[in-house]
Amino acid sequence: MRDLIDVQRGKQSARMFHDPEIYEREMEAIFGRCWLFLTHESAIPNFGDFVTTRMGQDEVIVVRQKDGSIKAFLNVCRHRGARICPVEAGNKRSFVCNYHGWSYAVDGSLSAVPFEKELYQGKLDRETHGLKEVAQVSIYHGFVFGNFDAGAISLEDYLGDARWYLDIWMEASGGVELVGPPSRSVVHCNWKAPCENFVGDAYHVGWTHASSLAVSGSMLAPMSGNAALPPAGAGIQVASRYGHGHGILYDVHPGGHDAKLGEEMLAWQATKRVAMEEKYGAIRTRYYGSHINGAIFPNVSYLWGTNLFKTWQPVAPNETECWTWAIVEKDMPDELKRKIVNGMHRTFGVAGYWEADDNDNMESASLLTTGFQTRKLQLNAQMGIGKDIVDSELPGVLGQAAIGETAYRGYYRFYDEVMRSASWGDMDPSDDSWKEQLVSADV
Amino acid sequence: MNSVSRSANVMGADIWDGDPEIIWDTDITGEVNAFFLREARLLDMRRLREWLAQMIDKNIRYVIVSRQLRYKNDKRYDLPDEVFIYDDDYECLNARVEQFHSELNWRVNPEENYQHMVANTEIAQKPGSVNLFVRSNWFVQRARRQYEIDRFVYCRHDELARDSEGKFKVVARHIDYDERCVRGRNMTMFL
């Protein structure tokens, strides 16, 4: 793992998309220790409501408890390991395994075993055969995350300096909801290939999406075919302590949506901006009206403006499952919500034409690493290197342009740190040297 | 029979929930079959502009839904189970067609190849309506680049109307796509 990531020079080994032992280490060090998105609270409002999802390759059930809290469990019977729940969402008072009928309460405890007295004759310890619970579950502005590691830092600390940016749309907007159910599809790529793209790649937009931009009628259309760069000062990029990242393209909030919907969205935003500016300041109000690409490490991607929220669930080194929800502001009229949800799936759902543009690149960049010589290559994320700064007002490490690879470098800096650490104890939250690492990086 | 969703109800596909009187008049079945075969041919040959202009009504609603897995009798959980993979009007379909034909669309260069196959076609009418409601099963294969073979199997509900010249146009298409997690990369082709 030592020579995988070159933080100083902004390079990564192509092996990271291929090697099974790297993938196994990721399951342990990243998916076993980092905060992973489970669901939005609004999907499980009542006692007994549940969704099933994945944390790494592990299937989990996420259930609303009687006291209103949320717990998560491996979706696995503690008898012979069969799946407890075969559906994706619902409401249950108990989960009964199809194999032998062991029954679990919503709190995960083993509540009934068929013919327990006659067949086990007092030798079954129910206490130690409850569903295996996910060590921590925590909620941030309605977004529910789980963590397998009881020793992990809190979700708030983990989101850290990225919260200042997340709060713009999660809080200052008046709150958002995720509209489900998610669409689901398989992408034949390594899970990091799309994640690194969403964390910090505004460069590909004009070229990869040239044809989509040309027909979109969107505010970004002038970038089609690299006909134009965004003007100088058109945005910034942000890297943060735990790998999360953002790219902000000023004043073009509706992003990939068509012009008609874009106008409606801007008109909606205009009704909120005056009050927002008073409470949150001019800069964050501007960001609210901007297009933001972002990532929550390790595998959440979102676009504020194009309104998508995705998780990239690893299946194998070269196979990833994509789950896509739509983000809408809670207090939007239903009709506007509906248009945004449809517009988002039209561009970034299973049949989204922007999504298909992207996934073609994700697949080739991943599958080519089956080549022995290919995976000896280094990948380059050096755009803007040597120019990253720390600002007195804006949290994180900043790239001073709309287009650059600052957030790539921040993503892989933490990737390297967490992969090489034995535990959270090795990653001191008060250690600020990560900023210097990124700022002093250069070719 | 597959359960039929709320969007299908709105779009008239709920006629297939019951046991409607099937039209076996050979003039009509022959005409509908010819219409479907021509549609398959135009789509296979990537003649998408002609397909849109000649076979799709200007008031089309083109819907493909994916359905979240739920227990059959879950009465206590009532959040929507449908996600709209497509919910397009004519203008949206046109944008997709133009994107496909754009010189800047690197993804379909070299060209993708498609085969659409249709079977199990049944035709019915609603009382008082002149439009035809057609249920059919389809198989589509996409061959792409050196190794990519993607396959899509689905039941299609169409509502066909006659234009002023008496030719069929699709006014509504509803597909309830069975494969929950789509393995075929993307569904950017027309089903």
Side-chain angles (χ1 to χ4, degrees):
Chain A
M1 306 300 154
R2 195 158 289 279
D3 56 350
L4 208 54
I5 307 295
D6 185 344
V7 176
Q8 172 61 25
R9 291 173 58 249
K11 292 205 164 189
Q12 301 83 34
S13 165
R15 285 197 296 123
M16 69 175 181
F17 287 160
H18 172 275
D19 287 11
E21 61 270 25
I22 293 172
Y23 181 84
E24 274 306 301
R25 176 65 185 156
E26 289 171 347
M27 290 306 113
E28 179 188 21
I30 295 176
F31 290 89
R33 291 210 297 244
C34 292
W35 285 94
L36 305 173
F37 176 73
L38 299 177
T39 185
H40 192 267
E41 270 200 295
S42 56
I44 47 171
N46 303 312
F47 168 54
D49 284 351
F50 69 89
V51 293
T52 55
T53 184
R54 300 167 65 107
M55 295 174 71
Q57 282 196 247
D58 292 294
E59 290 190 23
V60 295
I61 311 176
V62 185
V63 205
R64 180 74 71 172
Q65 304 296 303
K66 202 157 205 169
D67 65 1
S69 67
I70 293 171
K71 288 180 187 282
F73 309 96
L74 290 187
N75 187 10
V76 177
C77 182
R78 297 302 305 281
H79 176 212
R80 300 306 304 162
R83 182 185 281 114
I84 295 293
C85 179
V87 302
E88 296 177 85
N91 181 290
K92 278 282 181 191
R93 292 291 179 266
S94 62
F95 296 96
V96 182
C97 179
N98 285 352
Y99 196 172
H100 303 92
W102 281 29
S103 176
Y104 300 88
V106 166
D107 66 2
S109 58
L110 179 59
S111 53
V113 174
F115 306 113
E116 182 179 0
K117 204 182 281 177
E118 299 87 332
L119 300 177
Y120 284 96
Q121 300 170 2
K123 298 267 185 191
L124 178 63
D125 180 7
R126 278 209 206 180
E127 290 302 310
T128 57
H129 287 81
L131 294 177
K132 173 69 182 169
E133 188 169 349
V134 175
Q136 300 194 63
V137 172
S138 190
I139 303 171
Y140 192 72
H141 293 315
F143 291 75
V144 184
F145 289 77
N147 196 315
F148 283 121
D149 188 348
I153 58 173
S154 72
L155 176 61
E156 288 217 346
D157 287 344
Y158 178 76
L159 295 174
D161 48 22
R163 279 162 50 203
W164 192 88
Y165 301 93
L166 291 169
D167 287 354
I168 293 165
W169 59 277
M170 288 188 174
E171 180 188 287
S173 67
V176 297
E177 56 195 22
L178 281 192
V179 180
S183 66
R184 294 174 59 178
S185 60
V186 171
V187 190
H188 303 260
C189 71
N190 184 271
W191 65 273
K192 297 186 294 302
C195 291
E196 65 167 40
N197 174 272
F198 276 95
V199 76
D201 197 321
Y203 188 31
H204 80 293
V205 176
W207 194 249
T208 290
H209 300 299
S211 59
S212 297
L213 285 163
V215 304
S216 66
S218 77
M219 292 180 85
L220 305 180
M223 293 167 73
S224 173
N226 283 348
L229 266 178
I236 55 165
Q237 312 145 64
V238 188
S240 61
R241 169 71 170 90
Y242 296 109
H244 326 306
H246 291 98
I248 302 175
L249 195 55
Y250 296 149
D251 311 327
V252 288
H253 175 66
H257 290 307
D258 64 56
K260 213 162 44 181
L261 177 55
E263 274 169 34
E264 279 186 59
M265 292 170 68
L266 291 175
W268 167 260
Q269 286 204 326
T271 64
K272 291 188 172 178
R273 294 183 64 130
V274 174
M276 189 182 297
E277 191 158 332
E278 249 168 56
K279 192 168 170 198
Y280 292 92
I283 293 179
R284 291 166 100 187
T285 303
R286 186 181 195 190
Y287 293 174
Y288 168 69
S290 298
H291 191 267
I292 306 177
N293 61 273
I296 300 170
F297 191 91
N299 67 333
V300 168
S301 302
Y302 72 86
L303 296 180
W304 173 243
T306 306
N307 303 81
L308 66 84
F309 188 94
K310 286 175 181 284
T311 57
W312 303 94
Q313 307 285 11
V315 178
N318 265 326
E319 190 171 323
T320 299
E321 199 181 314
C322 173
W323 298 42
T324 307
W325 293 259
I327 308 169
V328 296
E329 292 177 35
K330 273 183 195 162
D331 51 1
M332 279 176 166
D334 285 348
E335 184 57 15
L336 181 56
K337 285 182 183 173
R338 192 190 62 79
K339 287 180 190 171
I340 289 173
V341 172
N342 285 345
M344 186 286 293
H345 282 291
R346 190 171 298 129
T347 48
F348 279 97
V350 175
Y353 44 100
W354 294 62
E355 176 86 352
D357 294 341
D358 279 326
N359 287 348
D360 201 31
N361 297 326
M362 308 309 157
E363 295 197 353
S364 72
S366 299
L367 292 170
L368 287 172
T369 62
T370 53
F372 187 84
Q373 304 301 331
T374 298
R375 61 179 180 266
K376 288 200 278 188
L377 298 175
Q378 295 279 304
L379 304 172
N380 181 311
Q382 294 181 328
M383 194 187 299
I385 200 166
K387 302 277 187 194
D388 293 338
I389 59 164
V390 175
D391 183 82
S392 57
E393 194 171 358
L394 305 177
V397 167
L398 305 181
Q400 308 177 77
I403 296 183
E405 287 162 347
T406 303
Y408 271 83
R409 293 190 288 276
Y411 183 88
Y412 283 115
R413 191 215 63 78
F414 180 64
Y415 174 89
D416 182 56
E417 183 180 359
V418 73
M419 287 284 275
R420 291 196 290 111
S421 300
S423 73
W424 274 102
D426 291 347
M427 298 180 279
D428 179 3
S430 68
D431 179 2
D432 241 11
S433 63
W434 69 277
K435 290 184 180 173
E436 187 51 31
Q437 268 185 292
L438 290 177
V439 169
S440 67
D442 212 332
V443 294
Chain B
M1 180 174 297
N2 294 337
S3 66
V4 173
S5 59
R6 274 166 291 184
S7 62
N9 294 356
V10 172
M11 294 178 67
D14 58 341
I15 186 174
W16 299 105
D17 268 355
D19 206 5
E21 191 172 333
I22 304 295
I23 297 174
W24 290 116
D25 178 281
T26 50
D27 286 350
I28 294 177
T29 56
E31 201 179 354
V32 168
N33 273 327
F35 182 80
F36 277 5
L37 295 181
R38 175 158 192 261
E39 182 179 21
R41 176 162 49 85
L42 291 183
L43 292 174
D44 286 353
M45 298 181 79
R46 300 179 291 267
R47 290 161 60 181
L48 302 183
R49 288 183 178 127
E50 290 162 83
W51 167 75
L52 189 65
Q54 297 168 20
M55 310 198 82
I56 304 299
D57 190 88
K58 288 280 193 301
N59 295 312
I60 178 82
R61 185 172 177 204
Y62 183 109
V63 167
I64 302 177
V65 297
S66 174
R67 189 174 308 285
Q68 190 174 45
L69 298 173
R70 299 278 176 85
Y71 285 115
K72 281 194 276 190
N73 300 314
D74 195 340
K75 301 265 193 300
R76 290 195 300 263
Y77 190 81
D78 59 1
L79 288 172
D81 66 344
E82 289 180 329
V83 50
F84 289 79
I85 293 177
Y86 276 79
D87 190 355
D88 281 9
D89 59 15
Y90 193 89
E91 199 181 334
C92 296
L93 291 176
N94 186 57
R96 289 182 188 273
V97 168
E98 292 308 316
Q99 195 248 350
F100 180 88
H101 286 303
S102 166
E103 292 291 309
L104 304 173
N105 190 341
W106 326 130
R107 189 164 47 82
V108 292
N109 188 5
E111 282 178 320
E112 299 180 337
N113 293 303
Y114 315 97
Q115 312 295 333
H116 286 71
M117 282 163 255
V118 57
N120 299 62
T121 303
E122 290 185 300
I123 306 164
Q125 248 172 334
K126 290 190 172 179
S129 167
V130 292
N131 290 354
L132 300 181
F133 292 81
V134 189
R135 183 185 194 278
S136 53
N137 289 343
W138 289 74
F139 177 91
V140 174
Q141 174 173 285
R142 172 174 55 195
R144 183 176 185 276
R145 301 278 167 96
Q146 297 171 77
Y147 309 111
E148 296 175 21
I149 298 288
D150 297 320
R151 289 172 178 153
F152 305 87
V153 180
Y154 50 95
C155 176
R156 197 169 97 174
H157 293 117
D158 291 309
E159 181 180 349
L160 304 182
R162 289 189 192 276
D163 65 13
S164 52
E165 294 170 14
K167 290 184 177 154
F168 284 137
K169 291 268 167 64
V170 184
V171 293
R173 173 161 298 167
H174 188 277
I175 295 168
D176 195 328
Y177 197 75
D178 292 336
E179 186 187 36
R180 173 60 180 129
C181 178
V182 178
R183 294 198 69 83
R185 289 181 174 80
N186 64 66
M187 283 168 53
T188 51
M189 82 292 293
F190 296 104
L191 299 185

